[in-house]
């Protein structure tokens, strides 16, 4: 069946098996790496038929409507649109999240942010957590589900992203526990929150540096929101602004957790310590051994404390497995 070299556009009458093979041929011709797997997922989504049932019912003829639906999705994917946008979902922390091109597709490494936020809040009876640049809401929702008594504020500058986040919050039943705000970084909280109330600020800010933009995969560069990816000349513009803004919201000993790009952790740590407001208490590595999450604790006393240099702190880090 497969390998006939006939795409969806060529044949007039399809069985499920033949449509699957044709979808696979179209994806393969477009250079998609795993055409068989992705074709089965596209059919599963468009026909609501699991890969197993696609085989069981492989002889059934498809309607022209079904064929059009599959063809539309295959075209988008062949155009290098990420499969997650084509299918509308991505798994994160073991749960399904709705995604559209208005939000960054959740990445495995961001689980580190959730784990650390949960670790910091576990002992507190009613913690307050702020997710800056919530996007799909995957971090805010995952923290909300892990910590049932925590109050969460989710902020994004994009109203389209917040709409997606709200869908995910409702889907996972935590919409009443998460307040959404639209605006730049922490600015929407001014006036709506008593100062120094927050236990944890977590964020996956944009961190792709200008020079690396063109080297991104076409799936990422052409389809994911630039706003969620491009972090200015050295990729750390937003980290610096967040470090400047965070101390006014954080409790003494409150923490700021930020995801960073490869090679950025040291600079972000140094910058944070030089403000005099933060102590670096950890840097978490992702599965690839890359320093991925910078963990900053607000000094109890604020500005007047003598801070050690980032270099001495860095030597004390033990790698995480
Ligand atoms: N991890 C993403 C990538 O490498 C970038 C995410 C971000 O900029 N926050 O494509």
């Amino acid at each position: 069946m497969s390998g006939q070299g006939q795409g969806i556009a060529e044949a007039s009458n399809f069985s499920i098996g033949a449509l699957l093979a044709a979808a696979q041929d179209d994806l393969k011709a477009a250079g998609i790496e795993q055409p068989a797997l992705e074709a089965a997922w596209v059919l599963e989504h468009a026909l609501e038929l699991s890969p197993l049932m696609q085989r069981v019912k492989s002889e059934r003829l498809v309607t022209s409507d079904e064929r059009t639906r599959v063809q539309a999705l295959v075209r988008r994917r062949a155009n290098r649109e990420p499969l997650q946008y084509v299918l509308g979902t991505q798994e994160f922390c073991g749960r399904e999240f709705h995604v559209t091109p208005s939000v960054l597709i959740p990445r495995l490494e961001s689980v580190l942010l959730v784990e650390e936020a949960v670790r910091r809040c576990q002992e507190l009876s009613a913690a307050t957590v702020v997710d800056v640049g919530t996007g799909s809401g995957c971090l805010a929702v995952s923290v909300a589900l892990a910590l049932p008594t925590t109050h969460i504020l989710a902020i994004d500058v994009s109203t389209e992203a917040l709409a997606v986040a709200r869908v995910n919050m409702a889907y996972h039943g935590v919409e009443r526990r998460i307040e959404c705000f639209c605006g730049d970084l922490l600015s929407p909280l001014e006036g709506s929150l008593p100062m120094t109330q927050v236990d944890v600020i977590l964020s996956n800010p944009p961190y792709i540096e200008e020079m690396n933009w063109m080297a991104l995969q076409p799936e990422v560069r052409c389809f994911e929101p630039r706003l969620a990816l491009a972090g200015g000349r050295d990729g750390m513009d937003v980290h610096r602004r967040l470090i400047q803004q965070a101390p006014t919201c954080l409790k003494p000993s409150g923490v700021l957790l930020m995801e960073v790009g490869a090679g950025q952790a040291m600079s972000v740590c140094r910058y944070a310590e030089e403000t005099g407001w933060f102590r670096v208490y950890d840097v978490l590595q992702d599965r690839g051994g890359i320093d991925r999450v910078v963990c900053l604790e607000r000094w109890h006393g604020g500005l007047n404390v003598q801070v050690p240099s980032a270099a001495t702190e860095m030597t004390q880090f033990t790698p995480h497995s």
Side-chain angles (χ1 to χ4, degrees):
M1 270 194 304
S2 177
Q4 289 169 339
Q6 211 177 40
I8 300 178
E10 279 89 57
S12 55
N13 213 357
F14 276 117
S15 64
I16 287 176
L19 182 62
L20 180 65
Q24 185 178 329
D25 288 340
D26 281 348
L27 293 173
K28 196 170 173 187
I32 301 298
E33 257 174 49
Q34 296 183 297
L37 205 57
E38 294 204 12
W41 285 335
V42 166
L43 258 73
E44 177 174 34
H45 183 78
L47 309 182
E48 289 178 35
L49 217 51
S50 70
L52 176 64
M53 288 313 286
Q54 290 167 26
R55 268 194 239 156
V56 173
K57 300 195 172 185
S58 112
E59 301 300 318
R60 167 166 88 67
L61 290 182
V62 297
T63 65
S64 67
D65 187 49
E66 286 174 326
R67 171 195 167 144
T68 310
R69 282 209 303 269
V70 169
Q71 190 171 20
L73 299 181
V74 167
R75 275 209 189 114
R76 284 172 63 188
R77 183 62 187 122
N79 195 30
R80 310 302 296 196
E81 185 169 346
L83 186 70
Q84 292 92 335
Y85 292 150
V86 173
L87 304 183
T89 62
Q90 169 64 31
E91 183 268 347
F92 183 76
C93 280
R95 298 185 182 91
E96 200 179 352
F97 286 86
H98 171 58
V99 291
T100 74
S102 297
V103 301
L104 192 77
I105 297 165
R107 311 285 207 270
L108 179 64
E109 52 268 32
S110 304
V111 171
L112 292 169
L113 287 166
V114 175
E115 288 171 348
E116 183 59 17
V118 170
R119 202 183 66 77
R120 289 293 298 202
C121 295
Q122 240 153 15
E123 312 288 294
L124 308 168
S125 56
T128 300
V129 174
V130 180
D131 176 15
V132 178
T134 195
S136 66
C138 65
L139 301 176
V141 169
S142 302
V143 171
L145 289 167
L147 300 166
T149 58
T150 299
H151 178 213
I152 297 167
L153 302 96
I155 308 169
D156 207 290
V157 73
S158 152
T159 49
E160 292 86 6
L162 277 178
V164 176
R166 284 196 176 96
V167 168
N168 284 317
M169 289 165 193
Y171 182 72
H172 291 290
V174 288
E175 73 276 23
R176 293 220 178 84
R177 294 188 31 228
I178 305 179
E179 276 183 86
C180 292
F181 297 85
C182 187
D184 179 55
L185 303 188
L186 292 162
S187 63
L189 303 190
E190 274 168 37
S192 67
L193 192 78
M195 293 304 225
T196 62
Q197 277 295 291
V198 177
D199 294 281
V200 175
I201 297 173
L202 74 165
S203 183
N204 175 14
Y207 55 69
I208 305 295
E209 57 189 286
E210 221 165 73
M211 226 176 59
N212 293 343
W213 182 256
M214 288 314 286
L216 289 176
Q217 280 181 303
E219 274 90 344
V220 178
R221 179 166 42 87
C222 305
F223 291 95
E224 297 205 61
R226 195 184 162 98
L227 194 62
L229 289 167
R233 203 180 166 75
D234 67 358
M236 293 175 273
D237 280 2
V238 181
H239 300 81
R240 282 187 289 265
R241 289 204 298 123
L242 196 49
I243 286 168
Q244 288 295 336
Q245 292 184 15
T248 50
C249 300
L250 285 173
K251 281 181 188 167
S253 304
V255 300
L256 170 59
L257 311 173
M258 288 183 293
E259 189 169 319
V260 295
Q264 294 175 344
M266 183 68 119
S267 307
V268 171
C269 288
R270 190 173 296 126
Y271 182 85
E273 291 200 335
E274 278 170 6
T275 65
W277 282 102
F278 288 104
R279 170 181 91 84
V280 179
Y281 75 90
D282 212 346
V283 173
L284 309 176
Q285 295 189 327
D286 67 17
R287 289 190 187 184
I290 293 170
D291 287 342
R292 189 56 76 186
V293 170
V294 167
C295 306
L296 308 172
E297 187 180 59
R298 213 199 109 170
W299 285 106
H300 307 243
L303 269 177
N304 301 325
V305 182
Q306 189 82 42
V307 296
S309 77
T312 41
E313 285 278 315
M314 291 300 289
T315 57
Q316 293 164 12
F317 293 140
T318 47
H320 288 243
S321 52

